[in-house]
Amino acid sequence: MHFKNEKHKIIIVDFGSQVTKLIARRIRELGVFSEIINIKDLTKISDFTTIKGLIFSGGPSTVTKKEFPTIPKKILSKKIPILGICYGLQLISKLYGGTIKSSKNRREFGRAILIKRKKSLLTKNFLINKSQSVWMSHQDAVTKLPKGFSIISSTKNSKLTIIENKKKKIYGIQFHPEVTHTDNGRQIFKNFLFSICKVNKSWRVSSEKNRLIQEIKSSVKKDKVICALSGGVDSSVVALLINKAIKKNLICIMVDTGLMRKNEFKYSYNIFKNKYKLNVRLINASSVFLKKLKNVIDPEKKRKIIGNLFIKIFEKEAKKFKNIKFLAQGTLYPDIIESKSSSGSKTSKIKSHHNVGGLPKKMNLKLIEPLKELFKDEVRVLGKSVGLAESLRNKHPFPGPGLAIRIIGKVTTEKVKVLQEADHIFINELFKHNLYHKIWQAYAAILPFKTVGVMGDSRTYEYTCLLRAVVSEDGMTADYFNFPKGFLDRISNKIINGVPGINRVVYDITSKPPSTIELE
Ligand code: XMP
């Protein structure tokens, strides 16, 4: 694990909630390092001295069944403060002799109002008025208090929504303080960390730079590293970080898949070659990618094909040099967790991100992934400290499989060109109207059907372009962006007039969940 040296950390035991990552984020935002692990990894920990608190996440399981995911009992004897959230509360209650029932009458989804029953360290400055609004998502409820615990708050439907065992420093909450729908949920974490676990605020991502550089130096030694450089924030930060550690022994490979945004590839290549003076090799593989993607419709197949091809190209390039032992990638923490469903926790897999899920089983290069414990916004901060230009640092995220997953259905050269033009118009207009930096991610996509239109006096039969723009904190949840009046009309006009092949423009007004940010 990367952050071995952290003196104080909080461990989040993942029981499979889709929002477990948000717990880790909230804690890091408060200046404390946190790590998500599954039950299997929890059983492997032998030294608990740096662990100042444990959080049990929510999850899809129920303790009302005969078999349910649980923690090894010895963990409870470590005297480490525990906070259980949702399933975590139910598990704590079960382990200490409470009763949990599953019933439609007791379920709560959405907002609920807490009723204060008792003062607690956990709820200081949180339960301050009578209508504290929280976000609930549960079907099971604790109906009988476990031994040694007391009730801190209730709702109309659930008698036990916050419970505590002050002496043992064990707390349980039924709602989700990690989601923004819970008003002031951050305060719960603040109280747990600083009043209950008594941790120090010692985590700052910018101060990770030197440690990461040292770590790269000592693992790579005199060997060579090949780096997959796409020009996106993540791989750019990785390249600059590794360049600082091993200089000439870093060989960056930029693979032109032909699936990038218009002009983007040339622009990034020039910056890395001329501004940062990196050792960059350019590989033009667009025809190979398009050939392999021919007639492929299934999104997961597309992702796997692209991921595998990337690695093959790297391995082929690596063979041209001596001593290449490592492949560097800009894998992030959410990529790891989202692709990790098989390792013990139950988070269901939504998509294989190409830099994780698409990897071939047998690889001849060892992986270096210096960002694999970081969230996107943390990478941007790190980017600043390694000197990455603002224009690259604050670029919208772009998925590894590129435009292939924004051309729904079959990918063809013709569609790529059409999409690049439409997307270019959209993004340029966002910059022109000072909207680009207000949006987490924006793009154009092509839908897999043609519709009839009329231009001049002629009938047209062309593609539909879908525009997507979302606001988000980290890509895990997102809301569609509300454009100022008239903006979308203008874009639609510009695209229809400027891009032959498109005769209809639609705007996607779904959030994540229930949708995802990318269409495939
Ligand atoms: P979804 O579509 O899952 O996307 O809501 C969440 C964020 O992840 C990006 N994304 C990817 N990034 N390789 C990447 O590097 C991928 O395969 C990939 N798929 C999705 C997506 O653009 C959004 O920012």
Side-chain angles (χ1 to χ4, degrees), residues 303 351-355 397 399-401 440-441 475 512 516-518:
R303 285 171 172 276
K351 296 174 186 178
S352 321
H353 281 207
H354 98 249
N355 42 2
W440 159 269
Q441 197 166 1
K512 172 184 179 177
T516 50
I517 295 176
E518 302 292 343

Side-chain angles (χ1 to χ4, degrees), residues 259-270:
L259 299 166
M260 301 290 281
R261 288 188 146 129
K262 189 180 173 182
N263 300 336
E264 193 159 8
F265 203 76
K266 253 196 222 150
Y267 173 80
S268 329
Y269 175 71
N270 284 335

Side-chain angles (χ1 to χ4, degrees), residues 85-146:
I85 298 175
C86 198
Y87 178 80
L89 155 83
Q90 293 155 15
L91 179 64
I92 288 169
S93 303
K94 179 84 181 171
L95 294 174
Y96 282 94
T99 306
I100 296 90
K101 288 211 169 128
S102 187
S103 124
K104 285 202 174 118
N105 304 334
R106 290 193 177 90
R107 72 183 195 172
E108 290 172 298
F109 291 97
R111 267 183 216 288
I113 302 294
L114 291 188
I115 306 156
K116 185 174 173 177
R117 301 280 181 218
K118 200 180 158 212
K119 259 189 172 174
S120 163
L121 275 180
L122 189 71
T123 53
K124 200 173 163 209
N125 295 329
F126 177 73
L127 279 181
I128 37 183
N129 54 40
K130 281 200 176 137
S131 54
Q132 171 63 49
S133 169
V134 296
W135 191 257
M136 291 281 191
S137 178
H138 69 108
Q139 178 133 328
D140 291 359
V142 184
T143 53
K144 194 186 123 216
L145 199 61

Side-chain angles (χ1 to χ4, degrees), residues 146-411:
K147 233 173 123 188
F149 283 74
S150 51
I151 303 175
I152 306 300
S153 79
S154 312
T155 60
K156 232 164 79 187
N157 272 19
S158 308
K159 207 169 103 195
L160 300 144
T161 53
I162 305 180
I163 61 169
E164 73 169 10
N165 182 325
K166 201 172 166 189
K167 211 167 125 202
K168 288 192 156 55
K169 295 190 180 174
I170 300 178
Y171 296 79
I173 49 187
Q174 185 57 78
F175 55 91
H176 290 270
E178 67 275 30
V179 303
T180 46
H181 307 293
T182 291
D183 293 343
N184 198 22
R186 210 161 284 212
Q187 188 63 43
I188 291 273
F189 291 112
K190 238 188 210 172
N191 294 339
F192 181 65
L193 296 179
F194 305 118
S195 305
I196 296 164
C197 302
K198 304 217 184 310
V199 288
N200 292 342
K201 241 184 188 181
S202 60
W203 159 255
R204 265 181 63 223
V205 71
S206 53
S207 43
E208 285 305 308
K209 182 184 89 179
N210 291 338
R211 206 188 47 71
L212 286 171
I213 291 173
Q214 280 315 318
E215 218 174 76
I216 296 165
K217 270 186 185 162
S218 62
S219 49
V220 173
K221 299 193 176 82
K222 294 217 161 104
D223 287 319
K224 287 198 165 76
V225 177
I226 202 166
C227 174
L229 182 57
S230 70
V233 190
D234 312 336
S235 61
S236 304
V237 174
V238 166
L240 294 185
L241 203 59
I242 298 180
N243 185 51
K244 284 195 188 300
I246 59 165
K247 294 271 181 277
K248 287 212 168 75
N249 279 341
L250 168 70
I251 298 146
C252 294
I253 307 286
M254 290 189 81
V255 179
D256 188 354
T257 58
L259 299 166
M260 301 290 281
R261 288 188 146 129
K262 189 180 173 182
N263 300 336
E264 193 159 8
F265 203 76
K266 253 196 222 150
Y267 173 80
S268 329
Y269 175 71
N270 284 335
I271 282 200
F272 287 108
K273 185 108 190 136
N274 303 323
K275 180 176 158 86
Y276 296 115
K277 313 266 182 243
L278 298 191
N279 180 3
V280 194
R281 283 175 69 89
L282 195 66
I283 313 285
N284 188 341
S286 47
S287 54
V288 190
F289 276 88
L290 279 168
K291 203 169 141 203
K292 286 265 178 198
L293 287 168
K294 199 173 170 190
N295 293 330
V296 179
I297 291 173
D298 181 67
E300 280 298 292
K301 260 195 198 146
K302 283 185 185 173
R303 285 171 172 276
K304 292 261 162 25
I305 288 171
I306 294 169
N308 284 328
L309 206 48
F310 257 113
I311 299 295
K312 265 199 190 136
I313 291 170
F314 284 128
E315 287 193 321
K316 196 172 148 203
E317 279 310 299
K319 278 190 193 133
K320 294 182 184 162
F321 299 89
K322 275 188 191 151
N323 300 335
I324 292 207
K325 287 220 175 114
F326 297 91
L327 167 68
Q329 287 200 138
T331 313
L332 299 192
Y333 201 33
D335 303 337
I336 296 275
I337 303 165
E338 248 160 48
S339 305
K340 216 180 171 184
S341 54
S342 57
S343 67
S345 295
K346 283 194 172 173
T347 314
S348 41
K349 184 162 136 189
I350 313 293
K351 296 174 186 178
S352 321
H353 281 207
H354 98 249
N355 42 2
V356 182
L359 284 180
K361 289 205 174 60
K362 186 175 160 289
M363 261 191 51
N364 298 327
L365 297 169
K366 276 193 203 162
L367 278 181
I368 299 192
E369 299 173 303
L371 312 180
K372 72 175 177 191
E373 310 281 340
L374 300 179
F375 289 103
K376 192 96 185 177
D377 52 340
E378 293 175 331
V379 172
R380 289 197 165 113
V381 176
L382 187 64
K384 191 172 181 190
S385 67
V386 292
L388 185 64
E390 204 271 342
S391 62
L392 290 177
R393 214 168 60 227
N394 292 325
K395 213 155 81 166
H396 288 175
F398 187 74
L403 300 183
I405 56 164
R406 293 178 179 175
I407 294 170
I408 314 311
K410 289 179 193 171
V411 182

